[in-house]
Amino acid sequence: MHLLRTEMRSLDETAEAVDLDHSCAQIVFLSFTDSDLAALASAHDAQSHPSLRLASLGALKHPYSVDLYVEKVCAKARLVLVRLLGGMDYWRYGVDELAAVARREGFHLAIVPGDAMEDPRLDDASTLERGDLRRLWAYFQEGGSSNLAACLDFVAAKIGVEREAAPPHKVEAFGHYAPGRIEAPGARARALIVFYRSAYLAGDAEPIDALAEALAARGLDVASVYVSSLKDGAAAGPLLQSVADWRPDVILNATAFSARLDDGASVLDSADAPVLQVILAGSSEAQWASAQRGLSAADLAMNVVLPEMDGRIIARAISFKAEAERDDGLEFTRLAHRSQRSRIDFVAALAANWAVLRCKPRSEKKLALILSDYPAKGGRTGYAVGLDTPQSALTIADRLAQEGYRLSPLPSAAELMATLTSGPLTPTMTLADYRDRLQDLPPSFVGRVVADWGDAADDPALREGAFCFRFVRFGHLLVATQPDRGRRDARKSEYHDAGLAPRHAYVAFYLWLRELERIDAMIHCGAHGTLEWLPGKSVALSEDCAPEVVLGAVPLVYPFIVNNPGEAAPAKRRTSAVVISHLTPPLVAAGAHGAIAEIEALL
């Protein structure tokens, strides 16, 4: 990659020592998962259950924080229950300390997995018998208020309180979410939202409601379902049937991790439809807004890196954690997801555009194929190692024509490149129109463009009151070269400058394609362009991040060098693109000759 190392550290990169300042209680429950904490708090009955303290393991990452809490709260409890998402390695120091103190102070310790994977090391650290641990684990695996109330009855009995604890009862791993089923008048397409059952059981589905409403407002029929996990067979089977019955044109997936099974497939693949990964972030909105990286390390891993393994289109974070009501008796403040309006609207627009692209007849689709203009010696229009870009562009166009897209006859590669590099400049968007459209863009973005480049009237791409570019039109396919994001005489230094706003002509170019040409999708061909290098967050972009402002919610495809994920990753994540790797032609046998052949024979 060519991006300079300019980092801003925030969110969870450096754990801070904190004192939660909880008083003592008979039962202590710890979990990384806010839905666990909220659900157990709701199930607790102060009249019939022992006193309870709840704490997020996210606040107990620093060893000193662990030491304080274990000493002040856990050591004085009768029973400590920990539900550990990710296994022992995610909180090894805490597990070791609790195990040692439990045996020294004599309180019961139960540590159970936070997922469906057994971890014998947690059994060894616990003091309860294996059968009791499996029962506690099952209460949380099934979930729901009645199961968690029974869980509290069970732990109460373990410390001598006379309580009859019902055994864990099954809660369906899959279900239809009625508030997320909305029929849009005159709907053009169908959308399916998939989210976690735990959010449904904890009453934490507000972002799902907001997303469903936004999709319906854009003319999509919406259905929503919850699952325990996309890898849970009990959920995957009904989901597969639901996909077959509903036949969605776009799927919005709010579950984390990769869903690939041993055969390499995911249950969502059966839809043969775009799958957008939407993110319910674990940070607060304030943390996200101030973080250049955009997401915490945990959110990045669970909601971006691993879902990419399934080929999902990385969309945006649509919600963030916010404090809800406080329970003074439990000394606990519930955290719940709260949707972010601009992020909901963007994801709904992106999903609607992908759905329309899928449903629209091929003969009516309008596409733009953009070639990069790499700042190598003498100009390298469309440059990419191992790629004949002009011929690739024509091959793509020929394939589109064969598959029913409305294209006019194609020129030769030489003729195409001659037009794009030295052909006539054609007026596109007038300066007056551009100024009007700037009013609809985020003021902070516009201010940055003006600060870096001055008034739009001074842009060198203006000719007689209009922005002019070189392009070729082949029916419903428009082929153009990506404009310089900065000055022509400083292309080398400015091409990868992540702090430099795009100049007016660059913004006008994409506004012209989106709003005047009204293209349905865009293909960027060649080496990486400059969209992914524009100022803004690394992932989970905000409405004033330059890649989003410039590109909007247009479906984007990047043909990328197969062995160059370092440049493909930011393109995919920052522009919600589909990346298609391109390969060099098949290699042919090449034998050694001359002196090399003699040396080879001797060796």
Side-chain angles (χ1 to χ4, degrees):
M1 295 175 66
H2 310 284
L3 188 62
L4 294 176
R5 185 179 178 85
T6 54
E7 296 182 348
M8 294 178 63
R9 297 191 174 274
S10 59
L11 299 183
D12 67 345
E13 288 191 11
T14 304
E16 294 182 0
V18 296
D19 182 358
L20 298 183
D21 198 28
H22 284 179
S23 62
C24 301
Q26 293 174 287
I27 307 295
V28 175
F29 176 66
L30 308 174
S31 175
F32 276 119
T33 310
D34 290 324
S35 58
D36 284 352
L37 298 165
L40 204 66
S42 298
H44 182 262
D45 182 350
Q47 302 303 315
S48 59
H49 290 138
S51 57
L52 175 68
R53 292 292 173 265
L54 306 107
S56 171
L57 291 175
L60 300 175
K61 291 181 179 180
H62 195 286
Y64 186 60
S65 303
V66 174
D67 292 342
L68 275 176
Y69 201 80
V70 169
E71 176 187 348
K72 295 175 65 174
V73 183
C74 297
K76 298 177 175 60
R78 300 283 303 281
L79 187 148
V80 176
L81 173 59
V82 182
R83 187 166 189 246
L84 192 53
L85 182 66
M88 183 171 178
D89 293 326
Y90 276 68
W91 199 56
R92 177 180 288 275
Y93 180 80
V95 171
D96 290 342
E97 286 299 299
L98 273 178
V101 175
R103 286 159 175 80
R104 186 181 73 228
E105 300 294 335
F107 62 83
H108 295 296
L109 175 63
I111 309 180
V112 300
D115 50 29
M117 301 296 293
E118 289 193 13
D119 190 339
R121 297 173 299 173
L122 301 184
D123 295 345
D124 295 340
S126 303
T127 63
L128 291 187
E129 296 180 356
R130 189 174 186 276
D132 292 338
L133 293 172
R134 294 301 175 269
R135 182 167 177 172
L136 288 168
W137 188 17
Y139 282 126
F140 284 97
Q141 284 296 98
E142 297 299 336
S145 57
S146 59
N147 271 323
L148 293 187
C151 175
L152 288 171
D153 291 337
F154 182 75
V155 297
K158 281 294 170 186
I159 63 172
V161 179
E162 293 187 7
R163 299 287 296 178
E164 186 68 28
H169 68 270
K170 185 150 188 74
V171 176
E172 293 301 323
F174 170 89
H176 292 274
Y177 180 60
R181 174 68 178 94
I182 306 176
E183 294 185 8
R188 301 172 293 169
R190 290 179 169 183
L192 176 66
I193 302 174
V194 183
F195 68 106
Y196 276 126
R197 183 187 64 172
S198 59
Y200 165 71
L201 293 175
D204 194 14
E206 186 271 337
I208 305 302
D209 298 340
L211 183 58
E213 292 169 2
L215 290 166
R218 289 186 173 271
L220 277 70
D221 274 344
V222 188
S224 301
V225 298
Y226 56 81
V227 296
S228 56
S229 166
L230 292 177
K231 286 190 171 183
D232 184 352
L239 176 57
L240 191 66
Q241 186 60 54
S242 182
V243 167
D245 294 340
W246 181 245
R247 291 176 296 171
D249 298 296
V250 64
I251 295 175
L252 297 99
N253 178 56
T255 71
F257 306 104
S258 168
R260 292 210 171 277
L261 303 175
D262 293 340
D263 61 0
S266 160
V267 63
L268 299 180
D269 295 344
S270 65
D272 190 29
V275 181
L276 273 59
Q277 182 72 15
V278 297
I279 301 163
L280 308 183
S283 60
S284 69
E285 185 173 345
Q287 287 174 313
W288 164 76
S290 63
Q292 187 72 13
R293 188 175 65 184
L295 293 177
S296 69
D299 276 337
L300 182 64
M302 293 187 296
N303 294 294
V304 178
V305 177
L306 291 174
E308 281 178 336
M309 303 298 181
D310 297 6
R312 296 181 196 157
I313 300 167
I314 306 302
R316 297 289 186 267
I318 63 169
S319 71
F320 303 92
K321 289 294 182 70
E323 291 187 353
E325 68 277 7
R326 176 174 174 81
D327 187 319
D328 292 330
L330 297 177
E331 300 181 12
F332 172 71
T333 300
R334 179 185 178 188
L335 293 178
H337 284 285
R338 290 292 176 265
S339 58
Q340 210 280 349
R341 187 70 255 168
S342 73
R343 304 300 78 207
I344 289 282
D345 289 342
F346 176 84
V347 171
L350 184 65
N353 288 343
W354 274 106
V356 168
L357 183 66
R358 186 172 190 263
C359 297
K360 199 170 190 178
R362 291 176 178 176
S363 61
E364 297 179 13
K365 293 177 183 177
K366 298 183 67 176
L367 307 177
L369 196 159
I370 310 302
L371 306 185
S372 63
D373 193 10
Y374 202 78
K377 184 177 180 180
R380 300 289 292 277
T381 302
Y383 167 80
V385 176
L387 179 70
D388 183 340
T389 303
Q391 190 57 53
S392 295
L394 295 179
T395 300
I396 291 170
D398 184 61
R399 174 69 177 270
L400 291 171
Q402 292 177 32
E403 299 208 2
Y405 290 80
R406 190 184 301 174
L407 270 66
S408 58
L410 304 173
S412 67
E415 292 170 331
L416 173 64
M417 297 311 293
T419 302
L420 294 180
T421 56
S422 57
L425 289 166
T426 304
T428 56
M429 176 178 283
T430 67
L431 178 60
D433 194 3
Y434 173 72
R435 291 189 191 279
D436 288 342
R437 293 173 191 276
L438 277 186
Q439 304 302 313
D440 298 326
L441 301 184
S444 57
F445 169 80
V446 176
R448 192 164 184 175
V449 173
V450 172
D452 285 350
W453 301 107
D455 188 74
D458 299 326
D459 194 287
L462 277 170
R463 300 284 191 283
E464 297 181 358
F467 289 95
C468 297
F469 306 105
R470 293 185 175 96
F471 61 90
V472 184
R473 195 186 301 274
F474 306 112
H476 282 186
L477 176 67
L478 189 151
V479 182
T481 302
Q482 187 178 49
D484 290 325
R485 58 175 293 190
R487 293 173 291 269
R488 189 75 185 176
D489 59 355
R491 302 177 71 231
K492 191 78 172 179
S493 61
E494 294 176 349
Y495 195 88
H496 304 103
D497 187 347
L500 181 69
R503 68 189 182 99
H504 291 285
Y506 190 101
V507 179
F509 176 80
Y510 284 96
L511 289 176
W512 162 61
L513 291 176
R514 287 165 42 195
E515 301 185 14
L516 298 185
E517 291 292 330
R518 296 189 176 277
I519 60 169
D520 295 296
M522 188 181 302
I523 303 167
H524 262 274
C525 193
H528 64 81
T530 49
L531 274 174
E532 66 269 29
W533 301 96
L534 300 180
K537 298 182 185 300
S538 300
V539 70
L541 276 61
S542 62
E543 62 181 339
D544 59 355
C545 289
E548 179 173 319
V549 178
V550 169
L551 182 64
V554 174
L556 177 64
V557 175
Y558 263 107
F560 247 97
I561 305 169
V562 70
N563 65 347
N564 199 358
E567 292 176 348
K572 178 177 175 62
R573 296 169 184 175
R574 302 190 81 209
T575 61
S576 299
V578 173
V579 173
I580 302 175
S581 297
H582 64 71
L583 293 165
T584 56
L587 296 176
V588 297
H593 60 89
I596 296 297
E598 294 177 16
I599 293 174
E600 184 178 33
L602 291 172
L603 289 172

